[in-house]
Amino acid sequence: MKKTLKQHRLQLHLSQQELAALSGISLRTIQRIERGNSTGSPYVIRTLCKSLDIDLEDLVSDPDHHMEETATAIPVGSMNPVKDTYDRRLKYINFSALSVLCFPFLNLVLPAVCYFVFKKSLSGVHNTEAAMKILSLQILWSVFVVILMIAISVVDHYLFGIDEVMEIPLFIWGYLALVILLVLITLKTAGDINYKKRLLTFIPNIL
């Protein structure tokens, strides 16, 4: 009788970690196959079958795998977060926001460039909407930075005069604090992509 990878593994009393060590296939790949988020490449499947001492014909796909095939037809907001499958190109778009560490507001330009480069190859509606969320974050952050910088400069000049006793202007400290916040959000978003969680739920899509 054909069985899933998980059933064959459990029949041999192997944990996912033990199977990964035995086969040389990464633990994450095995987890994705068993969850039905991936069918695995031919090489991966052959290697796992060899490690489990079974024939290819004895292995069937996870019955939940259809979730990945239908995911592209379902909006992000209505999907089960566990079954979201994000394109790796989203990581490039997301991490390109860290360019703000090299030059102010470069996070507004580079993610947009990455999006237009990868736009046609992004797989599925939910990947496109996730990319829009990332771009919306960069726009809102940049607008907020400009407004806050002006407000801090005006308030300090007319009310406090702190800049007169500080070597570094107060608005620079405000900008650095917001950059750190953006970096933390970017890292959090990268983690959400890896764990297939919904991205930036607190950010409105303005595009």
Side-chain angles (χ1 to χ4, degrees), residues 25-204:
I25 302 300
S26 71
L27 174 61
R28 178 168 174 75
T29 297
I30 293 173
Q31 290 173 335
R32 283 176 55 79
I33 293 173
E34 290 194 355
R35 285 199 301 262
N37 293 334
S38 172
T39 56
S41 67
Y43 168 79
V44 168
I45 296 302
R46 285 197 303 269
T47 302
L48 290 172
C49 286
K50 184 177 179 180
S51 300
L52 294 169
D53 195 24
I54 60 175
D55 295 327
L56 286 172
E57 294 76 16
D58 296 330
L59 189 65
V60 293
S61 299
D62 192 302
D64 290 332
H65 178 63
H66 70 279
M67 288 298 294
E68 182 181 36
E69 298 174 346
T70 58
T72 57
I74 304 174
V76 175
S78 62
M79 293 182 64
N80 183 341
V82 177
K83 292 298 181 182
D84 278 354
T85 52
Y86 290 119
D87 196 302
R88 58 185 175 84
R89 295 170 183 81
L90 276 179
K91 293 183 180 181
Y92 301 147
I93 297 173
N94 179 57
F95 278 122
S96 65
L98 296 180
S99 58
V100 71
L101 297 173
C102 301
F103 194 83
F105 300 108
L106 194 56
N107 65 296
L108 195 58
V109 177
L110 202 53
V113 171
C114 289
Y115 171 72
F116 284 108
V117 169
F118 299 135
K119 183 177 180 179
K120 292 184 179 180
S121 57
L122 282 174
S123 58
V125 175
H126 66 291
N127 278 294
T128 300
E129 292 188 3
M132 291 292 97
K133 281 272 192 173
I134 295 173
L135 294 180
S136 295
L137 168 64
Q138 308 312 315
I139 294 173
L140 293 172
W141 182 88
S142 300
V143 171
F144 183 74
V145 165
V146 171
I147 294 175
L148 189 63
M149 294 302 95
I150 295 174
I152 289 178
S153 298
V154 171
V155 170
D156 177 64
H157 178 75
Y158 288 102
L159 297 180
F160 301 111
I162 296 178
D163 286 347
E164 297 178 2
V165 296
M166 296 179 63
E167 295 182 2
I168 301 178
L170 187 61
F171 75 90
I172 295 296
W173 289 109
Y175 174 76
L176 291 177
L178 291 176
V179 167
I180 292 174
L181 177 61
L182 181 61
V183 169
L184 293 176
I185 294 175
T186 300
L187 295 178
K188 172 64 167 55
T189 302
D192 289 343
I193 292 175
N194 284 334
Y195 290 102
K196 306 175 188 64
K197 297 180 180 179
R198 292 177 60 188
L199 305 185
L200 302 169
T201 55
F202 58 93
I203 297 295

